[in-house]
Amino acid sequence: MNNLFVIKIGGNVIDNPAALENFLADFAAIRAPKILVHGGGKIATRLGDKLGIESKYIDGRRITDDETIDLVTMVYGGLVNKKIVAQLQSLGCNAMGVTGADGNLVPAIKRPVEEIDYGWVGDVAAESLPASRWQLLLDNGIVPVLAPLTHDNAGHILNTNADTMASSIAVALSAVYSTRLIYCFEKKGVLEFVEDEHSVIHTITKASYARLKAEQKLFAGILPKLDNAFAAIDAGVKEVLIGHADDLLQNTTETTTGTLITA
């Protein structure tokens, strides 16, 4: 099987032009099939403030009303996505900007209203994700750059979690490629001691994860990321890596510097 890297970058990279430039240079240098999934950063919030559109959050999750979905569609699918594509093209990387709505690349449903109405927010319908369409792009030398937007099959754009989109794509393509899913965030990896930036746990298996949780060695905020990582591995992804954006190239090799999560 050929290797495939599905790489997700967060807002901390997108919000810093110098960090984004360095990251994209490294991404362009990866000599293997690859997909980039990006979030939106704080750009939508800043632009919304200028336009008089208030940002509303519940438990850290954006409420996406009618005005906000227009805003994030413009920013995520337009401004952020196309700037990334243009920079990658300048580096000789044949990038193509897409959303989950384009070609129905990431099917989704509108999140049902339960205790909270999140508005125009989508949940990925992973079982329907068309791996063959992604493979068609990759086989033709195209590097997809995916913005975190989907649609509801009724003509409405949906704001959708980029981490979940990346994981779902990695799972869908794991039957065709040996897939490493890489989450780039602000730490060097999963830390054994949250106050010690150098205490990176370089490998976590299911067995060691159970032990670390029992010993309460991991801070609570990382547990959902690890649970999602093992869910992806259970669904066919070979490896998941959590590390810093600055270490991207190293983390596409066999001698990783972040936290490599395996079965």
Side-chain angles (χ1 to χ4, degrees):
M1 274 190 181
N2 291 330
N3 291 330
L4 170 69
F5 297 102
V6 179
I7 300 164
K8 190 266 175 176
I9 55 166
N12 58 310
V13 178
I14 290 168
D15 291 332
N16 184 328
L20 180 60
E21 182 177 353
N22 291 335
F23 171 86
L24 293 178
D26 287 345
F27 179 82
I30 297 170
R31 297 296 175 237
K34 55 198 173 186
I35 296 169
L36 181 60
V37 182
H38 65 81
K42 298 176 182 174
I43 298 172
T45 299
R46 291 198 296 267
L47 185 56
D49 289 342
K50 291 180 180 178
L51 297 173
I53 300 172
E54 181 185 359
S55 295
K56 300 169 189 159
Y57 295 88
I58 296 180
D59 296 331
R61 296 180 179 179
R62 186 187 289 271
I63 303 300
T64 309
D65 57 18
D66 290 344
E67 283 188 319
T68 303
I69 193 61
D70 287 347
L71 173 67
V72 299
T73 299
M74 288 188 291
V75 173
Y76 301 168
L79 181 63
V80 172
N81 187 267
K82 300 315 174 191
K83 280 190 171 183
I84 289 173
V85 167
Q87 286 183 256
L88 287 174
Q89 288 288 352
S90 76
L91 294 164
C93 177
N94 191 24
M96 176 183 287
V98 294
T99 71
D102 296 300
N104 207 29
L105 284 168
V106 183
I109 59 170
K110 186 177 182 294
R111 183 171 297 170
V113 177
E114 295 177 352
E115 293 180 6
I116 300 170
D117 183 358
Y118 286 101
W120 298 112
V121 167
D123 293 320
V124 176
E127 67 283 354
S128 303
L129 201 145
S132 61
R133 292 177 202 168
W134 287 96
Q135 191 178 359
L136 182 64
L137 294 172
L138 295 167
D139 286 349
N140 282 279
I142 293 170
V143 178
V145 177
L146 179 68
L149 301 166
T150 58
H151 73 108
D152 69 350
N153 287 299
H156 297 287
I157 295 291
L158 301 173
N159 187 12
T160 306
N161 183 271
D163 284 2
T164 305
M165 294 175 82
S167 176
S168 299
I169 293 163
V171 168
L173 288 168
S174 63
V176 184
Y177 298 92
S178 177
T179 306
R180 180 180 291 180
L181 172 61
I182 300 178
Y183 288 113
C184 297
F185 79 146
E186 65 276 5
K187 303 289 185 183
K188 288 283 188 180
V190 177
L191 304 179
E192 184 171 2
F193 307 104
V194 68
E195 68 282 357
D196 182 358
E197 295 287 337
H198 300 290
S199 64
V200 175
I201 304 169
H202 290 291
T203 305
I204 297 179
T205 64
K206 283 186 177 180
S208 65
Y209 183 39
R211 185 180 70 253
L212 288 164
K213 283 201 294 186
E215 295 172 356
Q216 297 184 327
K217 287 281 186 74
L218 302 171
F219 74 99
I222 201 66
L223 297 181
K225 284 186 182 295
L226 291 171
D227 289 340
N228 289 336
F230 281 112
I233 288 169
D234 286 343
V237 173
K238 182 184 177 185
E239 300 163 328
V240 180
L241 189 136
I242 298 175
H244 200 285
D246 291 348
D247 300 324
L248 175 64
L249 279 181
Q250 182 72 37
N251 285 332
T252 60
T253 70
E254 294 304 311
T255 54
T256 57
T257 188
T259 300
L260 189 66
I261 300 156
T262 66

